[in-house]
PDB file of all heavy atoms in Angstrom:
ATOM      1  N   SER R 123      -5.386   3.272   7.699  1.00  0.00           N
ATOM      2  CA  SER R 123      -5.136   4.710   7.883  1.00  0.00           C
ATOM      3  C   SER R 123      -5.523   5.504   6.642  1.00  0.00           C
ATOM      4  O   SER R 123      -6.144   6.563   6.740  1.00  0.00           O
ATOM      5  CB  SER R 123      -3.662   4.961   8.202  1.00  0.00           C
ATOM      6  OG  SER R 123      -3.307   4.347   9.404  1.00  0.00           O
ATOM      7  N   ALA R 124      -5.158   4.988   5.483  1.00  0.00           N
ATOM      8  CA  ALA R 124      -5.520   5.674   4.235  1.00  0.00           C
ATOM      9  C   ALA R 124      -7.038   5.735   4.076  1.00  0.00           C
ATOM     10  O   ALA R 124      -7.585   6.778   3.701  1.00  0.00           O
ATOM     11  CB  ALA R 124      -4.887   4.960   3.049  1.00  0.00           C
ATOM     12  N   LEU R 125      -7.717   4.649   4.385  1.00  0.00           N
ATOM     13  CA  LEU R 125      -9.181   4.647   4.291  1.00  0.00           C
ATOM     14  C   LEU R 125      -9.785   5.618   5.296  1.00  0.00           C
ATOM     15  O   LEU R 125     -10.746   6.330   4.981  1.00  0.00           O
ATOM     16  CB  LEU R 125      -9.735   3.236   4.508  1.00  0.00           C
ATOM     17  CG  LEU R 125     -11.243   3.102   4.410  1.00  0.00           C
ATOM     18  CD1 LEU R 125     -11.749   3.540   3.037  1.00  0.00           C
ATOM     19  CD2 LEU R 125     -11.671   1.672   4.703  1.00  0.00           C
ATOM     20  N   ALA R 126      -9.228   5.684   6.489  1.00  0.00           N
ATOM     21  CA  ALA R 126      -9.743   6.616   7.497  1.00  0.00           C
ATOM     22  C   ALA R 126      -9.608   8.062   7.036  1.00  0.00           C
ATOM     23  O   ALA R 126     -10.525   8.877   7.225  1.00  0.00           O
ATOM     24  CB  ALA R 126      -9.015   6.408   8.825  1.00  0.00           C
ATOM     25  N   VAL R 127      -8.488   8.406   6.433  1.00  0.00           N
ATOM     26  CA  VAL R 127      -8.295   9.773   5.935  1.00  0.00           C
ATOM     27  C   VAL R 127      -9.297  10.077   4.827  1.00  0.00           C
ATOM     28  O   VAL R 127      -9.909  11.149   4.814  1.00  0.00           O
ATOM     29  CB  VAL R 127      -6.844   9.981   5.450  1.00  0.00           C
ATOM     30  CG1 VAL R 127      -6.704  11.294   4.691  1.00  0.00           C
ATOM     31  CG2 VAL R 127      -5.883   9.946   6.622  1.00  0.00           C
ATOM     32  N   ILE R 128      -9.486   9.147   3.914  1.00  0.00           N
ATOM     33  CA  ILE R 128     -10.467   9.335   2.839  1.00  0.00           C
ATOM     34  C   ILE R 128     -11.863   9.487   3.423  1.00  0.00           C
ATOM     35  O   ILE R 128     -12.632  10.367   3.025  1.00  0.00           O
ATOM     36  CB  ILE R 128     -10.434   8.147   1.850  1.00  0.00           C
ATOM     37  CG1 ILE R 128      -9.078   8.016   1.186  1.00  0.00           C
ATOM     38  CG2 ILE R 128     -11.552   8.239   0.830  1.00  0.00           C
ATOM     39  CD1 ILE R 128      -8.707   9.090   0.223  1.00  0.00           C
ATOM     40  N   LEU R 129     -12.203   8.652   4.381  1.00  0.00           N
ATOM     41  CA  LEU R 129     -13.519   8.717   5.023  1.00  0.00           C
ATOM     42  C   LEU R 129     -13.721  10.061   5.719  1.00  0.00           C
ATOM     43  O   LEU R 129     -14.772  10.688   5.566  1.00  0.00           O
ATOM     44  CB  LEU R 129     -13.655   7.559   6.017  1.00  0.00           C
ATOM     45  CG  LEU R 129     -15.041   7.236   6.539  1.00  0.00           C
ATOM     46  CD1 LEU R 129     -15.977   6.902   5.398  1.00  0.00           C
ATOM     47  CD2 LEU R 129     -14.973   6.080   7.505  1.00  0.00           C
ATOM     48  N   LEU R 130     -12.729  10.514   6.449  1.00  0.00           N
ATOM     49  CA  LEU R 130     -12.821  11.821   7.111  1.00  0.00           C
ATOM     50  C   LEU R 130     -12.986  12.941   6.096  1.00  0.00           C
ATOM     51  O   LEU R 130     -13.743  13.886   6.325  1.00  0.00           O
ATOM     52  CB  LEU R 130     -11.586  12.065   7.976  1.00  0.00           C
ATOM     53  CG  LEU R 130     -11.517  11.291   9.279  1.00  0.00           C
ATOM     54  CD1 LEU R 130     -10.145  11.468   9.927  1.00  0.00           C
ATOM     55  CD2 LEU R 130     -12.616  11.738  10.229  1.00  0.00           C
TER      56      LEU R 130
END
Side-chain angles (χ1 to χ4, degrees):
S123 297
L125 181 59
V127 169
I128 299 291
L129 194 59
L130 285 171

